[in-house]
Amino acid sequence: MKTGIIGLPQTGKTSLFKILTKAHLDAKAAHAAVHVGVAKVADARLDALARIFEPKKVTYASIDYVDVGGIAKDRARDSAMLVEVRQVDALVNVLRLFPDPSIPHAAGSLDAARDADSVDIELILNDLDQITRRLDRLEKDLKKKADPLLEKEKTLLERCKAALEAETPLRQMEFTPEESKVLTSFMFLSRKPMLFALNLGDDEVAEMERAVARHKLEKLAAKPNTAVLAFCGKVEAELAELDDAEAAEMMSGYGLKESGRNRLIDSTYKLLGLISFLTCGEQECRAWTIERGATAVKAAGAIHSDIERGFIKAEVTRWDRLLEAGSFAAARERAQLRLEGKEYVVQDGDVITFRHSG
Ligand SMILES: Nc1nc2c(ncn2[C@@H]2O[C@H](COP(=O)(O)OP(=O)(O)OP(=O)(O)O)[C@@H](O)[C@H]2O)c(=O)[nH]1
Ligand SMILES: [Mg+2]
């Protein structure tokens, strides 16, 4: 799963990318067009289980982030950037709310709602280009020969076009599963789930939780397929330089319960519709990523296609029950391991051992 970091120029995108992926970009790399990196999804459940299993290896879930550079006007229609943005599953739009007279603002003042709209417009214009071209093609084809499938696609795209012309991003529209399937192949930019990341000034750190109200962004937060999250790039960059104990001390000094980094990664994970199940053993304790609603046999496939193919049963317990019991044997004695079949819907935080043939 890949998430693209976008936004107006000089909003703190590359800084955020470095914080999320713990990448150390040198001056030359920092100016490269595109950065790709992996962010570890912090997981306290996995940490706790690893303390009792003492495995050789602990493996966290991860999300890929791509820093594509600033979207100035017409920039979203620039083809090199588009290739990158089209491939991602979700977008993070970094909105600048930190005041700093030494760093020029693309629009001259701090207004996150306006900046969110102007980035959306670029995405919308791009989708409109693509839809117009496809509709032209469809009309030509339909003139030659009637085709109910193409006719359906045309009706759907016309509905999308009308929405886009009214400046509504496609992520705010509802589609049937069948329509979604047709739309997926277009990889429309305005249809990707969006996380608005408010980059606050460090004078606002103590009021992180009230950022949405303070900046009157309630409307932004209420839109479908979007989430809003506040962080302070400057403070996060400082945190990233510290060891765990020092970072914890600094966070409590600011009254922060969780780092912006972890909150942001967590938010992306949720926005992407993802959950984790865990596997535990002497060799490895590991978090695996699946889509919410995935069945046990699908989850097996996340580990290996052989386990999916040879699936017999899933032995399931919840992470906190296993932790309480202290071992699989003790959990079994307490009747807290249950056997589930292929169709069991895996829950976030399930610990699973798969029984399989072959
Ligand atoms: N005061 C303050 N400055 C920041 C913050 N985040 C980033 N900056 C500064 O803003 C400038 C731009 O930061 P970048 O992270 O490079 O921004 P960007 O969005 O990647 O910029 P482009 O890729 O050029 O569009 C740098 O000088 C950063 O040090 C922040 O939270 N507070
Ligand atoms: Mg940058």
Side-chain angles (χ1 to χ4, degrees):
M1 284 286 176
K2 229 191 220 172
T3 299
I5 302 175
I6 60 167
L8 295 181
Q10 299 284 290
T11 56
K13 297 178 297 297
T14 302
S15 308
L16 179 64
F17 172 82
K18 288 196 278 186
I19 295 159
L20 291 172
T21 60
K22 302 205 161 152
H24 294 279
L25 303 174
D26 57 32
K28 196 166 149 230
H31 285 101
V34 175
H35 311 121
V36 185
V38 182
K40 187 182 95 174
V41 180
D43 196 328
R45 304 167 302 189
L46 191 60
D47 292 334
L49 287 169
R51 279 193 289 275
I52 61 167
F53 278 88
E54 298 179 330
K56 294 208 174 87
K57 200 169 145 201
V58 181
T59 309
Y60 296 84
S62 64
I63 301 182
D64 290 351
Y65 284 95
V66 193
D67 171 17
V68 293
I71 296 195
K73 224 170 163 27
D74 293 337
R75 187 68 171 88
R77 276 164 280 173
D78 158 341
S79 58
M81 165 186 244
L82 277 179
V83 177
E84 296 297 331
V85 190
R86 275 207 200 295
Q87 308 296 327
V88 305
D89 305 290
L91 293 169
V92 177
N93 182 357
V94 182
L95 299 167
R96 173 169 164 187
L97 283 170
F98 64 86
D100 190 333
S102 70
I103 301 161
H105 189 295
S109 62
L110 299 181
D111 181 341
R114 174 203 60 203
D115 295 349
D117 281 347
S118 60
V119 168
D120 270 351
I121 293 291
E122 293 303 318
L123 305 181
I124 285 169
L125 288 175
N126 190 275
D127 290 348
L128 261 178
D129 271 2
Q130 213 190 342
I131 285 190
T132 310
R133 259 181 285 131
R134 178 64 187 155
L135 280 173
D136 281 352
R137 178 86 250 165
L138 281 175
E139 265 154 37
K140 274 186 201 129
D141 288 353
L142 282 167
K143 249 182 219 150
K144 278 184 235 150
K145 185 166 161 284
D147 181 330
L149 265 179
L150 294 186
E151 200 61 64
K152 256 191 174 164
E153 184 185 339
K154 180 169 171 259
T155 311
L156 172 62
L157 290 183
E158 277 166 348
R159 201 174 115 220
C160 293
K161 189 172 178 224
L164 293 170
E165 280 168 346
E167 301 188 353
T168 305
L170 297 179
R171 79 180 88 91
Q172 281 169 231
M173 293 182 66
E174 278 184 44
F175 299 107
T176 64
E178 193 192 346
E179 289 170 335
S180 292
K181 221 168 156 185
V182 175
L183 293 177
T184 299
S185 62
F186 290 99
M187 299 176 153
F188 289 125
L189 303 180
S190 77
R191 188 160 174 258
K192 300 181 189 298
M194 174 80 95
L195 174 64
F196 294 107
L198 313 176
N199 192 359
L200 303 179
D202 43 2
D203 55 331
E204 277 193 86
V205 186
E207 295 187 82
M208 198 81 88
E209 274 153 31
R210 286 188 296 277
V212 168
R214 265 174 74 100
H215 294 281
K216 304 196 173 55
L217 297 170
E218 290 88 350
K219 254 179 153 165
L220 209 57
K223 289 177 178 169
N225 283 317
T226 61
V228 180
L229 185 135
F231 73 107
C232 172
K234 207 166 176 186
V235 170
E236 291 300 323
E238 286 169 32
L239 284 174
E241 300 294 317
L242 304 174
D243 67 35
D244 289 354
E246 290 169 330
E249 192 177 321
M250 180 170 159
M251 285 203 312
S252 81
Y254 281 122
L256 299 174
K257 283 184 216 80
E258 185 74 86
S259 71
R261 176 181 183 277
N262 287 353
R263 285 186 297 117
L264 217 135
I265 294 171
D266 216 49
S267 237
T268 315
Y269 211 66
K270 291 213 176 77
L271 193 64
L272 287 164
L274 303 175
I275 59 169
S276 302
F277 74 89
L278 313 172
T279 52
C280 287
E282 279 168 18
Q283 289 299 320
E284 188 182 30
C285 287
R286 179 161 180 169
W288 301 86
T289 301
I290 49 170
E291 282 177 25
R292 183 174 293 286
T295 55
V297 67
K298 255 282 179 58
I303 299 178
H304 202 287
S305 54
D306 288 349
I307 306 181
E308 180 175 359
R309 228 174 293 119
F311 183 98
I312 298 169
K313 286 278 176 200
E315 211 169 4
V316 184
T317 183
R318 255 192 24 208
W319 73 274
D320 48 348
R321 302 239 166 83
L322 178 58
L323 188 68
E324 222 175 82
S327 69
F328 280 118
R332 190 171 290 115
E333 263 166 38
R334 296 176 180 200
Q336 275 167 352
L337 285 184
R338 53 184 206 281
L339 284 177
E340 299 281 3
K342 281 185 177 177
E343 295 308 316
Y344 168 70
V345 176
V346 175
Q347 303 296 305
D348 192 32
D350 277 351
V351 182
I352 307 184
T353 310
F354 291 101
R355 292 194 192 161
H356 59 99
S357 60

